[in-house]
Amino acid sequence: MKIKVLTGFIGTFVGVILWIAMSQLGIFPSWCGFIVVWGCFIGYELIHSGLNKQGVMICMMMSIVMIIIAEMICLGLEIYSYANNYYEVSLLSSFLMIPLFIANTSIMITIILDIIIGLIFEVIGYIAYIKIVKKLPIINKNLDI
């Protein structure tokens, strides 16, 4: 069980890295939610050779958490780049300042909107993946959704 979750985590990590890279390039990163959920499903299936209801739930929960983590990493990096223009700030201290910035309503709304749109792309990715998996008879043997 731990190895399946680990490979799912590795799969989501690919999407998280892409989310952070898109954010740093100034490109709207929420579409990477699609890649986060696909990476999780593919990583989970590498070890399990199939997908069941428990696997779907594990992958969905993991991908939701990873999107939130990706958004917080982006915010920490944004704080770091902005604060370094005026002060000498370490990367760790900029991540510790995240709660102070989240208290700002406009920043909180932006974060929530990014996460919601990322979750919408996750649902689209989930539906697309299940449609593709259901069409493949070899992988379909464990999927009862």
Coordinates of all heavy atoms in Angstrom, one line a residue, residues 15-16 18-19 29-40 63-64 67 114-115 117-126:
G15 N 3.2 17.1 -11.7 CA 2.3 18.2 -12.0 C 2.6 19.4 -11.1 O 2.4 20.5 -11.5
V16 N 3.0 19.1 -9.9 CA 3.3 20.2 -8.9 C 4.5 21.0 -9.5 O 4.5 22.3 -9.4 CB 3.6 19.7 -7.5 CG1 4.2 20.8 -6.6 CG2 2.3 19.2 -6.9
L18 N 5.4 21.4 -12.5 CA 4.9 22.1 -13.7 C 4.1 23.3 -13.2 O 4.2 24.4 -13.8 CB 4.1 21.2 -14.6 CG 3.7 21.8 -15.9 CD1 4.9 22.2 -16.7 CD2 2.9 20.8 -16.7
W19 N 3.2 23.1 -12.2 CA 2.4 24.2 -11.6 C 3.3 25.3 -11.2 O 3.1 26.5 -11.5 CB 1.6 23.7 -10.4 CG 0.7 24.6 -9.8 CD1 1.0 25.7 -9.1 CD2 -0.8 24.5 -9.8 NE1 -0.1 26.4 -8.6 CE2 -1.2 25.6 -9.0 CE3 -1.7 23.7 -10.3 CZ2 -2.6 25.9 -8.7 CZ3 -3.0 23.9 -10.0 CH2 -3.5 25.0 -9.3
P29 N -1.3 28.9 -13.8 CA -0.9 27.5 -13.6 C -2.0 26.5 -13.3 O -1.8 25.3 -13.2 CB 0.0 27.7 -12.3 CG -0.7 28.8 -11.6 CD -1.1 29.7 -12.7
S30 N -3.3 27.0 -13.1 CA -4.3 26.1 -12.7 C -4.6 24.9 -13.6 O -5.1 23.9 -13.2 CB -5.6 26.9 -12.4 OG -5.4 27.8 -11.3
W31 N -4.3 25.1 -14.9 CA -4.6 24.0 -15.8 C -3.7 22.8 -15.5 O -4.0 21.7 -15.9 CB -4.3 24.4 -17.3 CG -2.9 24.8 -17.6 CD1 -2.4 26.1 -17.5 CD2 -1.9 23.9 -18.0 NE1 -1.0 26.0 -17.8 CE2 -0.7 24.7 -18.2 CE3 -1.8 22.6 -18.3 CZ2 0.5 24.2 -18.6 CZ3 -0.6 22.1 -18.7 CH2 0.5 22.9 -18.9
C32 N -2.7 23.0 -14.7 CA -1.8 21.8 -14.3 C -2.5 20.9 -13.4 O -2.0 19.8 -13.1 CB -0.5 22.3 -13.7 SG 0.5 23.3 -14.8
G33 N -3.7 21.2 -12.9 CA -4.5 20.3 -12.1 C -4.8 19.0 -12.9 O -4.8 17.9 -12.3
F34 N -5.0 19.2 -14.2 CA -5.2 18.1 -15.1 C -4.0 17.1 -15.0 O -4.2 15.9 -14.9 CB -5.4 18.6 -16.5 CG -5.8 17.6 -17.5 CD1 -7.2 17.4 -17.7 CD2 -4.9 16.9 -18.2 CE1 -7.6 16.4 -18.7 CE2 -5.3 15.9 -19.1 CZ -6.6 15.7 -19.4
I35 N -2.8 17.7 -15.1 CA -1.6 16.9 -15.1 C -1.3 16.2 -13.7 O -0.9 15.1 -13.6 CB -0.4 17.7 -15.5 CG1 -0.6 18.1 -17.0 CG2 0.9 17.0 -15.4 CD1 0.3 19.1 -17.5
V36 N -1.7 17.0 -12.6 CA -1.5 16.4 -11.3 C -2.3 15.2 -11.1 O -1.8 14.1 -10.6 CB -1.9 17.5 -10.2 CG1 -2.0 16.9 -8.8 CG2 -0.9 18.7 -10.2
V37 N -3.6 15.2 -11.5 CA -4.4 14.0 -11.3 C -4.0 12.9 -12.2 O -4.0 11.7 -11.8 CB -5.9 14.4 -11.4 CG1 -6.4 14.5 -12.8 CG2 -6.8 13.3 -10.7
W38 N -3.7 13.2 -13.4 CA -3.2 12.1 -14.4 C -1.9 11.5 -13.9 O -1.8 10.3 -13.9 CB -3.0 12.7 -15.8 CG -4.2 12.6 -16.6 CD1 -5.4 13.3 -16.4 CD2 -4.4 11.8 -17.8 NE1 -6.3 12.9 -17.4 CE2 -5.7 12.1 -18.2 CE3 -3.6 11.0 -18.5 CZ2 -6.2 11.5 -19.4 CZ3 -4.1 10.4 -19.7 CH2 -5.4 10.7 -20.1
G39 N -1.0 12.3 -13.4 CA 0.3 11.8 -12.9 C 0.0 10.9 -11.7 O 0.7 9.8 -11.5
C40 N -0.9 11.3 -10.8 CA -1.2 10.4 -9.7 C -1.8 9.1 -10.1 O -1.4 8.0 -9.6 CB -2.2 11.2 -8.7 SG -2.4 10.4 -7.1
S63 N -4.2 14.3 -4.9 CA -4.0 15.4 -5.9 C -4.6 16.7 -5.4 O -4.0 17.8 -5.7 CB -4.7 15.0 -7.2 OG -6.0 14.7 -7.0
I64 N -5.6 16.7 -4.6 CA -6.2 17.9 -4.0 C -5.2 18.5 -3.0 O -4.9 19.7 -3.1 CB -7.5 17.6 -3.2 CG1 -8.6 17.3 -4.2 CG2 -7.9 18.8 -2.3 CD1 -9.9 16.8 -3.6
I67 N -2.2 20.1 -4.9 CA -2.5 21.4 -5.5 C -2.4 22.5 -4.5 O -1.9 23.6 -4.8 CB -3.9 21.4 -6.2 CG1 -3.8 20.7 -7.6 CG2 -4.5 22.8 -6.4 CD1 -5.1 20.7 -8.3
D114 N -7.4 30.2 -7.7 CA -6.4 29.4 -8.4 C -6.7 27.9 -8.0 O -6.6 27.0 -8.9 CB -5.0 29.7 -8.0 CG -4.5 30.9 -8.7 OD1 -5.2 31.4 -9.7 OD2 -3.4 31.4 -8.4
I115 N -6.9 27.6 -6.7 CA -7.1 26.3 -6.3 C -8.4 25.7 -6.8 O -8.5 24.6 -7.3 CB -7.1 26.2 -4.7 CG1 -5.7 26.4 -4.3 CG2 -7.6 24.8 -4.2 CD1 -5.5 26.6 -2.8
I117 N -10.0 26.6 -9.6 CA -9.9 26.4 -11.0 C -9.0 25.1 -11.3 O -9.2 24.3 -12.1 CB -9.3 27.6 -11.8 CG1 -10.3 28.7 -11.7 CG2 -9.0 27.3 -13.2 CD1 -9.8 30.1 -12.1
G118 N -7.9 25.0 -10.4 CA -7.1 23.8 -10.5 C -7.9 22.5 -10.2 O -7.8 21.5 -10.9
L119 N -8.9 22.6 -9.2 CA -9.7 21.5 -8.9 C -10.7 21.2 -10.1 O -11.0 20.0 -10.3 CB -10.5 21.7 -7.6 CG -9.7 21.7 -6.4 CD1 -10.5 22.1 -5.2 CD2 -8.9 20.4 -6.1
I120 N -11.1 22.2 -10.8 CA -12.0 22.0 -11.9 C -11.2 21.2 -13.0 O -11.7 20.3 -13.6 CB -12.6 23.3 -12.5 CG1 -13.6 23.9 -11.5 CG2 -13.2 23.1 -13.8 CD1 -14.0 25.3 -11.7
F121 N -10.0 21.6 -13.2 CA -9.2 20.9 -14.2 C -8.9 19.5 -13.7 O -8.7 18.6 -14.5 CB -7.9 21.7 -14.5 CG -8.0 22.8 -15.5 CD1 -8.1 24.1 -15.1 CD2 -8.1 22.4 -16.8 CE1 -8.3 25.1 -16.1 CE2 -8.3 23.4 -17.8 CZ -8.3 24.7 -17.4
E122 N -8.8 19.3 -12.4 CA -8.6 17.9 -11.9 C -9.8 17.1 -12.2 O -9.6 15.9 -12.6 CB -8.4 18.0 -10.3 CG -7.0 18.0 -9.9 CD -6.8 17.7 -8.5 OE1 -7.8 17.3 -7.8 OE2 -5.7 17.9 -8.0
V123 N -11.0 17.6 -12.0 CA -12.2 16.9 -12.3 C -12.3 16.5 -13.8 O -12.6 15.4 -14.2 CB -13.5 17.6 -11.8 CG1 -14.7 17.0 -12.4 CG2 -13.5 17.7 -10.3
I124 N -11.9 17.5 -14.6 CA -11.8 17.2 -16.1 C -10.8 16.1 -16.3 O -11.1 15.2 -17.1 CB -11.5 18.5 -16.8 CG1 -12.7 19.5 -16.7 CG2 -11.2 18.2 -18.3 CD1 -12.3 20.9 -17.2
G125 N -9.7 16.2 -15.7 CA -8.7 15.1 -15.9 C -9.1 13.8 -15.4 O -8.9 12.7 -16.0
Y126 N -9.8 13.8 -14.2 CA -10.4 12.6 -13.7 C -11.4 11.9 -14.6 O -11.3 10.7 -14.9 CB -11.0 12.9 -12.3 CG -11.9 11.8 -11.8 CD1 -11.4 10.6 -11.2 CD2 -13.3 11.9 -11.9 CE1 -12.2 9.6 -10.7 CE2 -14.1 10.9 -11.4 CZ -13.5 9.7 -10.8 OH -14.3 8.7 -10.4

